[in-house]
Amino acid sequence: MARRYDPERRQRIIDAAIRVAEERGIGALSHRVVAAEADVPLGSTTYHFASLDDLLVAALRQVCGEAGTTVEGWTEYLERDAPLADRIADLLAAYMDESRSGRVRMEYELYLAALRRPALSPVAAEWLDSTLDVLGRYTDSPGTARTLSALIDGMLLQSLLTGRPFDRDEVRAEVARVVGGETVAGGRVAGEEPVPGGRVVGEEPVAGGRASDR
């Protein structure tokens, strides 16, 4: 029997893998499970993706590039006319909307899978680099961007792990501690602005006196 031409089959397999990961976790992924979800023969999954890691890499690349996930899409919020801490808090609140909780959990599960699956490490690193690049446009230094990125990941993971409601005001306060003085697209706002905890940009209180300027 002639092989049926099906140019969309590879994409359907990737989409099916993402659905399985979102609904059941990546531990449930197998060629057989994904083939059933995609309604394709088992041989099709192994033809397009020789190993499960190959399929996970394709899934992670697609997730990182989707409109609701891609870091470049953050600029919709980051370009708004508001203090940076508010812009980031609003961005994360939208990201953690209850309707997206399953998707966000899956995204982080794929991202963290790189700890055990070296094949995923380059994709995870690319996503992290793009995060730092975008945040760096709105902060005063690469170090601040990296700290802010780590804070964002930590807060989102804690929310996912504990099931606690996302607290926009708490997130705003914690982000403000990191970013200090506000920035806007294209440069820093003149002057120093105190934030919760007493820190101002360029100055950090410590026991017994003032820390050196960063």
Side-chain angles (χ1 to χ4, degrees), residues 51-82:
S51 70
L52 195 57
D53 277 357
D54 291 337
L55 180 54
L56 284 170
V57 167
L60 182 55
R61 284 197 180 281
Q62 178 161 314
V63 165
C64 289
E66 289 179 347
T69 305
T70 177
V71 179
E72 286 294 337
W74 292 8
T75 56
E76 175 188 347
Y77 288 88
L78 296 177
E79 294 288 349
R80 292 178 178 178
D81 183 17

Side-chain angles (χ1 to χ4, degrees), residues 57 60-61 64 111 119-128:
V57 167
L60 182 55
R61 284 197 180 281
C64 289
Y111 182 56
L120 286 107
S121 294
V123 189
E126 289 170 14
W127 190 86
L128 176 59

Side-chain angles (χ1 to χ4, degrees), residues 159-171:
S159 180
L160 291 170
L161 289 169
T162 63
R164 295 171 185 161
F166 183 85
D167 189 330
R168 188 262 184 205
D169 292 337
E170 179 182 4
V171 168

Side-chain angles (χ1 to χ4, degrees), residues 16-127:
I18 292 172
R19 288 196 301 272
V20 171
E22 182 175 351
E23 295 168 5
R24 292 178 258 174
I26 65 171
L29 283 173
S30 69
H31 282 98
R32 189 175 300 279
V33 168
V34 173
E37 177 69 22
D39 193 23
V40 300
L42 176 60
S44 291
T45 61
T46 55
Y47 172 79
H48 289 288
F49 304 100
S51 70
L52 195 57
D53 277 357
D54 291 337
L55 180 54
L56 284 170
V57 167
L60 182 55
R61 284 197 180 281
Q62 178 161 314
V63 165
C64 289
E66 289 179 347
T69 305
T70 177
V71 179
E72 286 294 337
W74 292 8
T75 56
E76 175 188 347
Y77 288 88
L78 296 177
E79 294 288 349
R80 292 178 178 178
D81 183 17
L84 180 58
D86 286 290
R87 286 177 267 160
I88 291 176
D90 289 341
L91 165 65
L92 298 185
Y95 194 61
M96 288 294 287
D97 182 88
E98 288 185 6
S99 65
R100 283 183 46 84
S101 60
R103 186 55 174 241
V104 176
R105 188 180 302 275
M106 180 270 296
E107 290 167 5
Y108 269 107
E109 192 172 0
L110 280 171
Y111 182 56
L112 294 173
L115 292 171
R116 295 284 186 181
R117 297 178 179 270
L120 286 107
S121 294
V123 189
E126 289 170 14
W127 190 86

